[in-house]
Short mmCIF file of all heavy atoms in Angstrom, two decimals:
data_model
loop_
_atom_site.label_atom_id
_atom_site.label_comp_id
_atom_site.label_asym_id
_atom_site.label_seq_id
_atom_site.Cartn_x
_atom_site.Cartn_y
_atom_site.Cartn_z
N ALA S 1 -4.24 -37.85 -24.87
CA ALA S 1 -3.53 -38.60 -23.85
C ALA S 1 -2.02 -38.49 -24.02
O ALA S 1 -1.27 -38.43 -23.03
CB ALA S 1 -3.96 -40.06 -23.87
N LEU S 2 -1.56 -38.49 -25.25
CA LEU S 2 -0.12 -38.33 -25.50
C LEU S 2 0.38 -37.00 -24.94
O LEU S 2 1.46 -36.93 -24.32
CB LEU S 2 0.17 -38.43 -26.99
CG LEU S 2 0.08 -39.83 -27.62
CD1 LEU S 2 0.16 -39.74 -29.14
CD2 LEU S 2 1.19 -40.73 -27.08
N LYS S 3 -0.39 -35.95 -25.11
CA LYS S 3 0.01 -34.64 -24.60
C LYS S 3 -0.02 -34.62 -23.07
O LYS S 3 0.88 -34.08 -22.42
CB LYS S 3 -0.91 -33.56 -25.17
CG LYS S 3 -0.73 -33.31 -26.66
CD LYS S 3 -1.68 -32.22 -27.15
CE LYS S 3 -1.50 -31.96 -28.65
NZ LYS S 3 -2.45 -30.92 -29.14
N GLU S 4 -1.08 -35.21 -22.50
CA GLU S 4 -1.21 -35.22 -21.04
C GLU S 4 -0.06 -35.98 -20.39
O GLU S 4 0.56 -35.50 -19.43
CB GLU S 4 -2.54 -35.86 -20.64
CG GLU S 4 -2.74 -35.96 -19.14
CD GLU S 4 -3.98 -36.76 -18.78
OE1 GLU S 4 -4.81 -37.04 -19.67
OE2 GLU S 4 -4.12 -37.12 -17.60
N TRP S 5 0.24 -37.17 -20.89
CA TRP S 5 1.29 -37.99 -20.30
C TRP S 5 2.66 -37.37 -20.56
O TRP S 5 3.55 -37.43 -19.70
CB TRP S 5 1.23 -39.40 -20.84
CG TRP S 5 0.00 -40.19 -20.44
CD1 TRP S 5 -1.24 -39.68 -20.15
CD2 TRP S 5 -0.10 -41.60 -20.32
NE1 TRP S 5 -2.11 -40.70 -19.87
CE2 TRP S 5 -1.45 -41.88 -19.95
CE3 TRP S 5 0.77 -42.66 -20.52
CZ2 TRP S 5 -1.90 -43.19 -19.76
CZ3 TRP S 5 0.33 -43.96 -20.32
CH2 TRP S 5 -0.99 -44.23 -19.95
N ALA S 6 2.85 -36.78 -21.75
CA ALA S 6 4.15 -36.18 -22.08
C ALA S 6 4.50 -35.06 -21.11
O ALA S 6 5.68 -34.84 -20.78
CB ALA S 6 4.14 -35.65 -23.51
N HIS S 7 3.48 -34.34 -20.65
CA HIS S 7 3.74 -33.28 -19.67
C HIS S 7 4.36 -33.86 -18.40
O HIS S 7 5.32 -33.30 -17.85
CB HIS S 7 2.44 -32.55 -19.34
CG HIS S 7 2.56 -31.61 -18.19
ND1 HIS S 7 3.32 -30.45 -18.24
CD2 HIS S 7 2.03 -31.66 -16.92
CE1 HIS S 7 3.26 -29.83 -17.07
NE2 HIS S 7 2.48 -30.54 -16.27
N ILE S 8 3.84 -34.98 -17.94
CA ILE S 8 4.38 -35.63 -16.75
C ILE S 8 5.80 -36.13 -17.01
O ILE S 8 6.70 -35.96 -16.19
CB ILE S 8 3.48 -36.79 -16.30
CG1 ILE S 8 2.09 -36.27 -15.93
CG2 ILE S 8 4.10 -37.53 -15.12
CD1 ILE S 8 2.07 -35.26 -14.80
N TYR S 9 6.02 -36.75 -18.18
CA TYR S 9 7.37 -37.20 -18.52
C TYR S 9 8.36 -36.04 -18.44
O TYR S 9 9.48 -36.17 -17.94
CB TYR S 9 7.43 -37.78 -19.94
CG TYR S 9 6.47 -38.90 -20.25
CD1 TYR S 9 6.06 -39.14 -21.57
CD2 TYR S 9 5.96 -39.73 -19.25
CE1 TYR S 9 5.19 -40.17 -21.88
CE2 TYR S 9 5.09 -40.76 -19.56
CZ TYR S 9 4.71 -40.98 -20.88
OH TYR S 9 3.85 -41.99 -21.19
N GLN S 10 7.95 -34.91 -18.96
CA GLN S 10 8.84 -33.76 -19.09
C GLN S 10 9.22 -33.14 -17.75
O GLN S 10 10.36 -32.70 -17.57
CB GLN S 10 8.20 -32.70 -19.99
CG GLN S 10 9.09 -31.53 -20.32
CD GLN S 10 8.44 -30.57 -21.31
OE1 GLN S 10 7.24 -30.64 -21.56
NE2 GLN S 10 9.23 -29.69 -21.88
N ILE S 11 8.29 -33.11 -16.81
CA ILE S 11 8.56 -32.39 -15.56
C ILE S 11 9.32 -33.22 -14.54
O ILE S 11 9.85 -32.66 -13.57
CB ILE S 11 7.26 -31.87 -14.93
CG1 ILE S 11 6.35 -33.04 -14.52
CG2 ILE S 11 6.55 -30.91 -15.88
CD1 ILE S 11 5.09 -32.60 -13.77
N LEU S 12 9.39 -34.54 -14.71
CA LEU S 12 10.05 -35.37 -13.71
C LEU S 12 11.55 -35.42 -13.94
O LEU S 12 12.01 -35.71 -15.05
CB LEU S 12 9.48 -36.79 -13.73
CG LEU S 12 8.01 -36.94 -13.35
CD1 LEU S 12 7.64 -38.41 -13.28
CD2 LEU S 12 7.69 -36.25 -12.03
N PRO S 13 12.34 -35.19 -12.91
CA PRO S 13 13.80 -35.26 -13.08
C PRO S 13 14.31 -36.66 -13.34
O PRO S 13 15.35 -36.84 -13.96
CB PRO S 13 14.34 -34.70 -11.76
CG PRO S 13 13.22 -34.83 -10.79
CD PRO S 13 11.96 -34.70 -11.58
N ARG S 14 13.57 -37.68 -12.84
CA ARG S 14 13.98 -39.06 -13.11
C ARG S 14 12.74 -39.89 -13.39
O ARG S 14 11.73 -39.79 -12.70
CB ARG S 14 14.74 -39.65 -11.93
CG ARG S 14 15.12 -41.13 -12.14
CD ARG S 14 16.13 -41.62 -11.16
NE ARG S 14 16.55 -42.99 -11.46
CZ ARG S 14 17.71 -43.51 -11.11
NH1 ARG S 14 18.59 -42.78 -10.43
NH2 ARG S 14 18.02 -44.75 -11.42
N LEU S 15 12.83 -40.75 -14.40
CA LEU S 15 11.76 -41.68 -14.73
C LEU S 15 12.38 -42.87 -15.45
O LEU S 15 13.00 -42.71 -16.50
CB LEU S 15 10.70 -41.01 -15.61
CG LEU S 15 9.51 -41.86 -16.04
CD1 LEU S 15 8.83 -42.51 -14.84
CD2 LEU S 15 8.51 -41.02 -16.83
N ASP S 16 12.21 -44.06 -14.88
CA ASP S 16 12.84 -45.26 -15.43
C ASP S 16 11.86 -46.21 -16.10
O ASP S 16 12.27 -46.98 -16.97
CB ASP S 16 13.57 -46.02 -14.31
CG ASP S 16 14.71 -45.20 -13.73
OD1 ASP S 16 15.80 -45.21 -14.31
OD2 ASP S 16 14.50 -44.55 -12.68
N ALA S 17 10.59 -46.17 -15.72
CA ALA S 17 9.63 -47.10 -16.32
C ALA S 17 8.20 -46.63 -16.09
O ALA S 17 7.89 -46.00 -15.08
CB ALA S 17 9.81 -48.50 -15.74
N ILE S 18 7.34 -46.98 -17.04
CA ILE S 18 5.90 -46.77 -16.95
C ILE S 18 5.23 -48.14 -16.89
O ILE S 18 5.57 -49.04 -17.66
CB ILE S 18 5.36 -46.00 -18.16
CG1 ILE S 18 5.98 -44.60 -18.25
CG2 ILE S 18 3.83 -45.90 -18.11
CD1 ILE S 18 5.53 -43.66 -17.17
N PHE S 19 4.29 -48.28 -15.96
CA PHE S 19 3.48 -49.49 -15.88
C PHE S 19 2.02 -49.10 -16.09
O PHE S 19 1.46 -48.34 -15.30
CB PHE S 19 3.68 -50.20 -14.54
CG PHE S 19 2.56 -51.13 -14.14
CD1 PHE S 19 1.92 -51.95 -15.07
CD2 PHE S 19 2.15 -51.21 -12.82
CE1 PHE S 19 0.89 -52.80 -14.70
CE2 PHE S 19 1.11 -52.05 -12.43
CZ PHE S 19 0.48 -52.85 -13.38
N VAL S 20 1.41 -49.63 -17.14
CA VAL S 20 0.01 -49.34 -17.45
C VAL S 20 -0.83 -50.59 -17.19
O VAL S 20 -0.65 -51.61 -17.85
CB VAL S 20 -0.16 -48.89 -18.92
CG1 VAL S 20 -1.62 -48.57 -19.21
CG2 VAL S 20 0.74 -47.70 -19.23
N PRO S 21 -1.74 -50.53 -16.20
CA PRO S 21 -2.60 -51.69 -15.94
C PRO S 21 -3.68 -51.81 -17.01
O PRO S 21 -4.25 -50.80 -17.44
CB PRO S 21 -3.20 -51.37 -14.57
CG PRO S 21 -3.21 -49.87 -14.51
CD PRO S 21 -1.99 -49.42 -15.27
N GLY S 22 -3.97 -53.03 -17.43
CA GLY S 22 -5.03 -53.23 -18.41
C GLY S 22 -6.41 -53.03 -17.84
O GLY S 22 -7.37 -52.77 -18.57
N GLY S 23 -6.52 -53.16 -16.52
CA GLY S 23 -7.78 -52.95 -15.82
C GLY S 23 -7.52 -52.54 -14.39
O GLY S 23 -6.39 -52.55 -13.93
N ASP S 24 -8.61 -52.17 -13.69
CA ASP S 24 -8.51 -51.76 -12.28
C ASP S 24 -7.57 -50.58 -12.09
O ASP S 24 -6.61 -50.67 -11.32
CB ASP S 24 -8.08 -52.94 -11.41
CG ASP S 24 -8.24 -52.63 -9.92
OD1 ASP S 24 -9.07 -51.77 -9.57
OD2 ASP S 24 -7.51 -53.25 -9.11
N PRO S 25 -7.84 -49.42 -12.71
CA PRO S 25 -8.94 -49.13 -13.63
C PRO S 25 -8.53 -49.34 -15.08
O PRO S 25 -7.37 -49.60 -15.37
CB PRO S 25 -9.21 -47.66 -13.34
CG PRO S 25 -7.85 -47.11 -13.08
CD PRO S 25 -7.10 -48.19 -12.36
N GLY S 26 -9.48 -49.16 -15.97
CA GLY S 26 -9.23 -49.30 -17.40
C GLY S 26 -10.14 -50.35 -18.01
O GLY S 26 -10.60 -51.26 -17.32
N HIS S 27 -10.39 -50.21 -19.30
CA HIS S 27 -11.30 -51.15 -19.97
C HIS S 27 -11.01 -51.14 -21.47
O HIS S 27 -11.92 -51.11 -22.28
CB HIS S 27 -12.76 -50.75 -19.70
CG HIS S 27 -13.03 -49.30 -19.95
ND1 HIS S 27 -12.89 -48.35 -18.97
CD2 HIS S 27 -13.39 -48.63 -21.08
CE1 HIS S 27 -13.17 -47.16 -19.47
NE2 HIS S 27 -13.48 -47.30 -20.76
N THR S 28 -9.73 -51.20 -21.82
CA THR S 28 -9.34 -51.14 -23.23
C THR S 28 -8.91 -52.52 -23.70
O THR S 28 -8.09 -53.18 -23.06
CB THR S 28 -8.19 -50.13 -23.43
OG1 THR S 28 -8.61 -48.85 -22.97
CG2 THR S 28 -7.80 -50.04 -24.89
N ALA S 29 -9.43 -52.95 -24.83
CA ALA S 29 -9.06 -54.24 -25.41
C ALA S 29 -7.57 -54.25 -25.79
O ALA S 29 -6.97 -53.20 -26.01
CB ALA S 29 -9.93 -54.52 -26.63
N PRO S 30 -6.96 -55.44 -25.86
CA PRO S 30 -5.52 -55.51 -26.09
C PRO S 30 -5.03 -54.81 -27.35
O PRO S 30 -4.02 -54.09 -27.30
CB PRO S 30 -5.26 -57.03 -26.17
CG PRO S 30 -6.34 -57.62 -25.33
CD PRO S 30 -7.54 -56.76 -25.55
N LYS S 31 -5.71 -54.97 -28.48
CA LYS S 31 -5.19 -54.41 -29.73
C LYS S 31 -5.06 -52.89 -29.67
O LYS S 31 -3.97 -52.35 -29.94
CB LYS S 31 -6.05 -54.84 -30.90
CG LYS S 31 -5.46 -54.46 -32.26
CD LYS S 31 -6.28 -55.05 -33.41
CE LYS S 31 -5.66 -54.68 -34.75
NZ LYS S 31 -6.44 -55.27 -35.90
N PRO S 32 -6.12 -52.13 -29.33
CA PRO S 32 -5.94 -50.68 -29.22
C PRO S 32 -5.01 -50.28 -28.06
O PRO S 32 -4.33 -49.26 -28.14
CB PRO S 32 -7.35 -50.15 -29.01
CG PRO S 32 -8.16 -51.32 -28.56
CD PRO S 32 -7.53 -52.51 -29.18
N MET S 33 -4.98 -51.10 -27.01
CA MET S 33 -4.09 -50.79 -25.89
C MET S 33 -2.63 -50.88 -26.32
O MET S 33 -1.83 -49.97 -26.04
CB MET S 33 -4.34 -51.76 -24.73
CG MET S 33 -3.33 -51.63 -23.59
SD MET S 33 -3.42 -50.07 -22.70
CE MET S 33 -4.70 -50.45 -21.52
N PHE S 34 -2.27 -51.92 -27.03
CA PHE S 34 -0.89 -52.07 -27.49
C PHE S 34 -0.51 -50.93 -28.44
O PHE S 34 0.60 -50.39 -28.37
CB PHE S 34 -0.70 -53.43 -28.17
CG PHE S 34 -0.39 -54.55 -27.21
CD1 PHE S 34 -1.39 -55.43 -26.80
CD2 PHE S 34 0.89 -54.74 -26.73
CE1 PHE S 34 -1.12 -56.46 -25.92
CE2 PHE S 34 1.18 -55.77 -25.85
CZ PHE S 34 0.18 -56.64 -25.44
N ALA S 35 -1.42 -50.60 -29.34
CA ALA S 35 -1.13 -49.51 -30.28
C ALA S 35 -0.92 -48.19 -29.54
O ALA S 35 -0.02 -47.40 -29.88
CB ALA S 35 -2.27 -49.38 -31.29
N PHE S 36 -1.74 -47.95 -28.52
CA PHE S 36 -1.62 -46.73 -27.73
C PHE S 36 -0.30 -46.70 -26.96
O PHE S 36 0.41 -45.67 -26.92
CB PHE S 36 -2.81 -46.64 -26.77
CG PHE S 36 -2.71 -45.54 -25.75
CD1 PHE S 36 -2.68 -44.21 -26.12
CD2 PHE S 36 -2.63 -45.86 -24.39
CE1 PHE S 36 -2.59 -43.20 -25.16
CE2 PHE S 36 -2.54 -44.86 -23.44
CZ PHE S 36 -2.52 -43.52 -23.82
N LEU S 37 0.06 -47.81 -26.34
CA LEU S 37 1.28 -47.85 -25.53
C LEU S 37 2.54 -47.75 -26.39
O LEU S 37 3.56 -47.21 -25.94
CB LEU S 37 1.32 -49.12 -24.68
CG LEU S 37 0.21 -49.25 -23.62
CD1 LEU S 37 0.46 -50.45 -22.73
CD2 LEU S 37 0.12 -47.98 -22.78
N GLU S 38 2.48 -48.24 -27.61
CA GLU S 38 3.63 -48.07 -28.50
C GLU S 38 3.89 -46.60 -28.76
O GLU S 38 5.05 -46.14 -28.75
CB GLU S 38 3.39 -48.81 -29.81
CG GLU S 38 4.60 -48.74 -30.76
CD GLU S 38 4.41 -49.57 -32.01
OE1 GLU S 38 3.28 -50.08 -32.24
OE2 GLU S 38 5.38 -49.72 -32.78
N LYS S 39 2.83 -45.84 -28.95
CA LYS S 39 2.98 -44.39 -29.14
C LYS S 39 3.47 -43.72 -27.86
O LYS S 39 4.33 -42.82 -27.89
CB LYS S 39 1.65 -43.77 -29.59
CG LYS S 39 1.20 -44.15 -30.99
CD LYS S 39 -0.09 -43.44 -31.36
CE LYS S 39 -0.49 -43.68 -32.81
NZ LYS S 39 -0.83 -45.08 -33.06
N GLN S 40 2.95 -44.16 -26.74
CA GLN S 40 3.38 -43.57 -25.46
C GLN S 40 4.86 -43.86 -25.18
O GLN S 40 5.57 -43.00 -24.66
CB GLN S 40 2.53 -44.11 -24.31
CG GLN S 40 1.15 -43.50 -24.21
CD GLN S 40 1.18 -42.06 -23.70
OE1 GLN S 40 2.23 -41.45 -23.53
NE2 GLN S 40 0.00 -41.49 -23.49
N ARG S 41 5.29 -45.04 -25.54
CA ARG S 41 6.70 -45.37 -25.31
C ARG S 41 7.61 -44.50 -26.15
O ARG S 41 8.67 -44.04 -25.69
CB ARG S 41 6.94 -46.85 -25.61
CG ARG S 41 8.12 -47.44 -24.87
CD ARG S 41 9.33 -47.55 -25.77
NE ARG S 41 10.22 -48.61 -25.31
CZ ARG S 41 11.22 -49.08 -25.99
NH1 ARG S 41 11.49 -48.61 -27.20
NH2 ARG S 41 12.00 -50.03 -25.52
N ALA S 42 7.23 -44.23 -27.39
CA ALA S 42 8.02 -43.34 -28.24
C ALA S 42 8.06 -41.93 -27.65
O ALA S 42 9.11 -41.26 -27.65
CB ALA S 42 7.43 -43.31 -29.65
N SER S 43 6.94 -41.48 -27.12
CA SER S 43 6.90 -40.17 -26.47
C SER S 43 7.77 -40.15 -25.22
O SER S 43 8.52 -39.19 -24.97
CB SER S 43 5.45 -39.81 -26.12
OG SER S 43 5.39 -38.64 -25.34
N LEU S 44 7.68 -41.20 -24.43
CA LEU S 44 8.47 -41.32 -23.20
C LEU S 44 9.95 -41.21 -23.48
O LEU S 44 10.70 -40.51 -22.77
CB LEU S 44 8.13 -42.67 -22.54
CG LEU S 44 8.98 -43.10 -21.34
CD1 LEU S 44 8.77 -42.16 -20.17
CD2 LEU S 44 8.61 -44.55 -20.95
N ARG S 45 10.41 -41.87 -24.53
CA ARG S 45 11.83 -41.90 -24.86
C ARG S 45 12.36 -40.53 -25.31
O ARG S 45 13.57 -40.30 -25.28
CB ARG S 45 12.10 -42.94 -25.95
CG ARG S 45 12.00 -44.40 -25.46
CD ARG S 45 13.15 -44.72 -24.54
NE ARG S 45 13.16 -46.08 -24.05
CZ ARG S 45 13.89 -47.08 -24.54
NH1 ARG S 45 14.67 -46.86 -25.60
NH2 ARG S 45 13.86 -48.28 -24.00
#
């Protein structure tokens, strides 16, 4: 997922924020979700 999302980050000329819904769709419990998003935020930056 880090590789997939990083590709999108890289190709966009402008990106100011990512919003990840916890559900609709999605079904990840808070603890693994927070850990995943922390890694995604580092990749985004």
Side-chain angles (χ1 to χ4, degrees):
L2 287 171
K3 291 180 180 179
E4 178 188 347
W5 294 28
H7 170 68
I8 298 299
Y9 305 155
Q10 186 175 14
I11 64 175
L12 296 185
R14 177 166 185 155
L15 180 53
D16 297 277
I18 298 291
F19 158 40
V20 181
D24 192 25
H27 49 270
T28 302
K31 188 173 181 179
M33 172 67 86
F34 275 100
F36 171 64
L37 296 187
E38 183 175 9
K39 290 183 174 66
Q40 283 288 6
R41 205 259 205 168
S43 173
L44 172 65
R45 287 290 182 98

